[in-house]
Amino acid sequence: MQHSVSPIGYVRSCFKEKFAIPRQPSLAPAARGVLELLPPFDKGDAVAGLEQVSHVWLLFLFHQALESTPRLKVRPPRLGGNRMVGVFATRATHRPNGIGQSVVRLDRVEADRLFISGIDLLDGTPVLDIKPYVPYADALPDARNDMAADAPTLIEVQWTESGLLQAHREALRLGEPLLELIEQCLAQDPRPAYQKPEPERRYGAQFWDVDVRWHYPAPDTIRVLEVIPATPRPT
Ligand code: SAM
């Protein structure tokens, strides 16, 4: 039996590419976005009452990871990218039906859009449903996951003087907590675990409309080199 689903809205996110997005929500509280609702959900009726809720579950499509042949085993980056486990034991993006779920902070509700933060969602992510977080049912103090017991260990993020100045300037222009966003995301160490970070090697990712470039002066330290307006990329 086949069912078809259609998006109720799309996320406009600070994340314009997959690289450097945190692996789960809440890891970067400064990661903000707007969920723009589509008709007929954009008139206020569908979100009436949501202002009483601090967090929502978003069910969405991993639209940039959809595959026609389902994978049964995956290599989670969390396990260093070299151990295979069953897809249903993980939150991998490549999964049957390509459905993701994230709990995000709900900062403001308007009739046709929700302002959200702590997101781990790519710009343009199609959202299939929104559900209120219910603390008494969703927060389970005795829950365990031995494969992902704790949040990832954070690494140190340093700034060059010019990088810091540029980040302040771009943050003011955007009216967004850009420094916090960069620090929170880079502290998760976005580099693939198998890659040895040579100090000469440059890494980069786009946040909002700025390109951030960094390197690893030491294996457990990131230094932000540049925060500059992004060059337009092919869509
Ligand atoms: N919290 C969700 C879940 O558990 O279903 C997502 C977890 S998944 C491991 C998080 C990663 O998904 C992010 O680091 C990002 O690279 C990727 N991602 C986010 N939005 C995406 C999208 N629309 N399409 C493909 N990949 C996406």
Side-chain angles (χ1 to χ4, degrees):
M1 193 193 298
Q2 289 226 325
H3 294 280
S4 68
V5 290
S6 34
I8 53 99
Y10 289 89
V11 174
R12 297 289 147 230
S13 162
C14 56
F15 299 120
K16 308 299 174 186
E17 57 184 288
K18 285 188 264 183
F19 186 52
I21 302 182
R23 296 196 181 125
Q24 286 301 332
S26 301
L27 296 174
R32 293 181 178 173
V34 178
L35 168 48
E36 296 174 345
L37 299 168
L38 291 173
F41 310 106
D42 60 343
K43 306 287 182 290
D45 288 351
V47 294
L50 254 193
E51 66 288 341
Q52 298 173 63
V53 167
S54 67
H55 292 75
V56 285
W57 286 101
L58 299 182
L59 300 176
F60 60 92
L61 274 185
F62 287 116
H63 72 303
Q64 280 201 11
L66 294 174
E67 291 178 328
S68 45
T69 314
R71 297 185 194 195
L72 304 186
K73 291 212 156 184
V74 294
R75 291 176 206 275
R78 173 95 206 189
L79 301 180
N82 51 18
R83 239 183 82 198
M84 293 206 96
V85 290
V87 65
F88 297 136
T90 77
R91 300 279 193 103
T93 56
H94 292 100
R95 56 192 314 113
N97 298 313
I99 293 178
Q101 57 174 66
S102 293
V103 177
V104 301
R105 174 173 280 283
L106 181 56
D107 296 318
R108 197 162 93 234
V109 181
E110 292 183 1
D112 59 349
R113 53 195 179 157
L114 305 182
F115 291 80
I116 52 182
S117 59
I119 62 177
D120 58 349
L121 308 169
L122 193 59
D123 192 52
T125 295
V127 175
L128 304 175
D129 201 358
I130 305 165
K131 299 192 190 197
Y133 183 82
V134 178
Y136 77 82
D138 295 348
L140 306 172
D142 58 340
R144 51 174 266 270
N145 181 335
D146 297 338
M147 218 188 307
D150 300 303
T153 312
L154 301 182
I155 66 167
E156 187 186 347
V157 179
Q158 305 173 345
W159 295 82
T160 56
E161 209 174 305
S162 55
L164 190 59
L165 272 174
Q166 291 167 337
H168 276 296
R169 195 168 48 224
E170 297 301 326
L172 268 178
R173 178 181 62 77
L174 287 164
E176 288 290 337
L178 182 64
L179 277 83
E180 292 84 344
L181 177 65
I182 294 171
E183 285 190 354
Q184 291 165 6
C185 293
L186 298 194
Q188 317 276 328
D189 195 359
R191 162 189 65 94
Y194 58 82
Q195 218 173 71
K196 194 164 173 284
E198 302 297 345
E200 313 70 56
R201 186 172 180 153
R202 299 296 183 254
Y203 291 78
Q206 185 178 339
F207 298 95
W208 297 112
D209 61 354
V210 296
D211 276 335
V212 178
R213 296 198 211 291
W214 69 90
H215 79 137
Y216 292 78
D220 282 342
T221 309
I222 277 180
R223 185 186 291 137
V224 181
L225 301 168
E226 256 188 341
V227 180
I228 52 173
T231 40
R233 293 174 196 208
T235 45

